[in-house]
Amino acid sequence: MRRILLAATVLATAALTVPLAAHDDEPAPARGVPVAVSVTPDQLLEPYYEALRQQVVMPVAGANPALSPSTTLTRIAFGSCNHQNAPQHMWAQIAAQNPQLFLMIGDNVYGDNGWDADAGLESLRASYALQASHPEFTGFRAKVPMMATWDDHDFGLNDAGGNFPFRRWAEDLFETFWASSDAVKARPGVYDSTITGPEGKRVQVILLDTRYFRSNLKRAPWSKERPPLGGYVPEYSLDATVLGEAQWAWLEQELAKPADVRIVVSSTQIITTAHQFEGWTNFPVERNRLFEALKGREASGLVLLSGDRHAGGVYTTQYKGETLWELTSSSLNLSFGSDNDRSTAREPDPARVGKFFSEENYGLVDIDWKAKKLTLTLKNNTSGNLAEQVYNW
């Protein structure tokens, strides 16, 4: 198995040039001269992965109740950045809030920790298996319907995008573990959407995939003094993408469907441009395209949710006369500290409302249908309120 795995890795990372027979009206290439062809690592590795599927146990998250399409949603919880090796205490806190739906929005496990560049992504598979062994998690999942998308650490590699050569196998692991819908399994990427509730109280949840198709990040020029807030700079190329054309077309179709409230989930932050870490700020043209798509949606209330940052906060911006609101929640159990004042001072941001909370947290979205009011709440690991934002749609 190890030899097969090594061979697959070499195939994926080798130059994709092979000798081919010429067309009838073209001279054949000289023997031994490589001819460039469009062969992707996904295609090269598919026979290996097909064999691997027959040999390994694919971890599963466990039983999960289906969300009835007729349910009138009034409370949705979400979170990100959950490490399989860390305590799983947050599940009890979230369950006590009685959410009707929970959204796992990225870095749901840290599968790239200990990865040795093998094409089989053994560390990712092991991380899922460990997460599935936690009774706190499986007990929560057995009671609360869940939907999921991924971020980099459960995609397979820190800050990775569409050039990650093993993304297809990472997708198989993700879709098997989270029991993805048939629609998700039928297409590349893990983006998904549902509409729940009766007419007049329909909630659409749109989970974007900001990894599978994303163009390469543009790194900041080297300097002796590294930037304190990340090492990337905006990529203004019109060819650069976050979602890929197929997902963009799908998103526009989803936004045209009738809904009363839409919850749009991105694993990375959307509104803020105050840092040089990962986020839509890396792709300004795409960020504007997203704002345009949201502006052109069929009339509805709107909530933006994001994670990734190991800190949380509330963000707002104006776009063509509409006020957009975003709640970032991160992380569930991998906090980088609890000094919220220090985190706030380190990252000044005119788009953020209030502090930047670096302690463990999760998010809630409450819907008051009678008042047409949305409440975004960020809670800590004892379910105390860190931040709250109320607005009408």
Side-chain angles (χ1 to χ4, degrees), residues 71-289:
T71 301
T72 298
L73 288 172
T74 58
R75 170 162 287 184
I76 298 168
F78 76 102
S80 67
C81 303
N82 176 77
H83 202 296
Q84 67 278 1
N85 292 328
Q88 302 288 312
H89 52 278
M90 291 291 266
W91 300 112
Q93 293 292 327
I94 300 167
Q97 303 302 312
N98 296 313
Q100 297 161 288
L101 175 66
F102 184 80
L103 308 176
M104 291 251 32
I105 68 168
D107 292 341
N108 309 318
V109 295
Y110 281 71
D112 58 341
N113 290 178
W115 182 53
D116 64 0
D118 65 280
L121 303 177
E122 287 300 299
S123 63
L124 179 57
R125 190 164 65 92
S127 72
Y128 279 128
L130 180 55
Q131 185 61 35
S133 74
H134 293 303
E136 303 95 329
F137 169 72
T138 55
F140 178 89
R141 181 171 169 80
K143 297 177 181 178
V144 182
M146 299 179 76
M147 294 177 66
T149 189
W150 57 15
D151 200 32
D152 51 346
H153 295 291
D154 47 344
F155 180 61
L157 182 64
N158 184 47
D159 292 358
N163 64 342
F164 184 57
F166 312 126
R167 60 181 183 166
R168 186 64 190 90
W169 182 239
E171 182 183 0
D172 276 6
L173 289 168
F174 177 98
E175 292 171 352
T176 301
F177 186 78
W178 293 110
S180 297
S181 67
D182 290 342
V184 172
K185 291 179 179 178
R187 60 188 176 228
V190 301
Y191 53 94
D192 198 8
S193 177
T194 62
I195 296 178
T196 304
E199 186 174 351
K201 297 181 179 180
R202 295 163 297 191
V203 176
Q204 183 182 43
V205 176
I206 297 175
L207 299 174
L208 300 177
D209 182 340
T210 65
R211 293 291 163 186
Y212 197 92
F213 308 96
R214 199 213 67 206
S215 298
N216 292 344
L217 297 167
K218 187 175 181 180
R219 293 193 175 274
W222 182 89
S223 67
K224 190 173 183 180
E225 296 180 359
R226 296 296 299 164
L229 292 175
Y232 300 115
V233 294
E235 172 57 82
Y236 289 95
S237 170
L238 297 181
D239 295 327
T241 189
V242 174
L243 302 183
E245 286 306 313
Q247 187 176 182
W248 273 117
W250 169 86
L251 176 60
E252 291 171 0
Q253 292 171 358
E254 291 298 316
L255 292 172
K257 293 179 179 179
D260 301 289
V261 170
R262 298 181 206 274
I263 298 174
V264 177
V265 176
S266 166
S267 68
T268 59
Q269 290 184 303
I270 298 170
I271 289 177
T272 182
T273 59
H275 61 76
Q276 292 177 288
F277 299 113
E278 282 197 286
W280 286 76
T281 185
N282 305 138
F283 300 93
V285 176
E286 288 284 271
R287 179 175 175 269
N288 189 72
R289 183 176 182 180

